[in-house]
Amino acid sequence: MATLIEMASEIVSAHASANQMSTEELLAEIQKVHTALKSLEAGQGVEGVTTEAKPALTIKQAFKKDEVICMVCGKGGFKTLARHLNQAHGLKPGQYRKQFNIPSTQSLAAKNYSESRRQSALDNGLAANLEKARKVRAEKIAAAKAPAKTAKPVKAVKVAKPAKSEKATIVVRKAAAKAK
């Protein structure tokens, strides 16, 4: 990792490449940036610089009927935020909720989008299928948790008598089995 002096010099050189600076201004700028970096590293705030990121939007402004706006970057027009958060910011929905104190009851999707998806699922009969699947799963879980029943004795079944040619074959097989 770069030292504070190296970071300060990189910051100032980037600034100096875009702006005309005298030697005195350059040295003063390096000193100022180094001091600011040092105080940030120590956990102290810098005058005029806040270390905590505050959202530019309220939750009400970010979650509208037809769109959702990202509270990290301010980009809008999304139907749902999960994919954008992962790709653009490397955040999971839980991390995003925690960062901006968004309640778990608040959907990260636009209200109209959620409602249209819900209605589509109802129209296609997915609710009935889901209900059936849940019932089957509950029955399987109940069967697995139920204590194993003791085996009942099996009733003897009468077997038809074999024909004479079959009797000879059976006798030979029995004799072979006893010999082993």
Side-chain angles (χ1 to χ4, degrees):
M1 185 171 172
T3 64
L4 289 179
I5 295 172
E6 290 171 344
M7 287 191 293
S9 65
E10 287 178 20
I11 292 169
V12 172
S13 67
H15 180 70
S17 68
N19 301 308
Q20 287 284 339
M21 297 177 84
S22 68
T23 307
E24 293 82 28
E25 290 173 333
L26 193 61
L27 292 172
E29 188 72 18
I30 290 173
Q31 180 64 35
K32 190 168 124 181
V33 171
H34 182 266
T35 305
L37 290 174
K38 197 172 187 178
S39 64
L40 284 173
E41 184 180 51
Q44 302 166 348
V46 177
E47 194 174 310
V49 178
T50 58
T51 55
E52 287 186 24
K54 294 186 179 180
L57 303 169
T58 64
I59 293 175
K60 214 172 210 180
Q61 292 170 331
F63 298 97
K64 299 179 181 179
K65 286 184 178 180
D66 294 321
E67 71 173 343
V68 179
I69 300 171
C70 178
M71 293 175 78
V72 177
C73 63
K75 192 174 181 182
F78 298 108
K79 298 292 182 193
T80 182
L81 270 182
R83 186 174 184 178
H84 168 74
L85 291 174
N86 186 26
Q87 289 180 343
H89 307 294
L91 288 173
K92 293 183 179 175
Q95 295 169 323
Y96 180 76
R97 288 178 191 280
K98 190 174 184 179
Q99 182 177 352
F100 294 105
N101 296 323
I102 299 171
S104 59
T105 56
Q106 173 66 50
S107 171
L108 296 182
K111 292 180 188 205
N112 287 347
Y113 178 73
S114 296
E115 185 57 35
S116 68
R117 297 282 298 194
R118 181 183 165 281
Q119 191 59 48
S120 174
L122 288 173
D123 293 344
N124 292 327
L126 297 179
N129 292 343
L130 181 61
E131 187 177 325
K132 288 177 191 175
R134 285 180 177 163
K135 185 178 178 183
V136 168
R137 184 170 185 231
E139 289 172 356
K140 284 182 181 179
I141 290 172
K145 287 184 179 180
K149 296 180 180 178
T150 56
K152 293 182 181 178
V154 179
K155 293 182 180 179
V157 178
K158 292 184 179 180
V159 180
K161 293 182 181 180
K164 288 186 179 182
S165 61
E166 290 178 359
K167 279 185 181 179
T169 308
I170 292 173
V171 171
V172 171
R173 285 187 185 158
K174 284 184 180 178
K178 284 183 183 179
K180 289 184 180 180

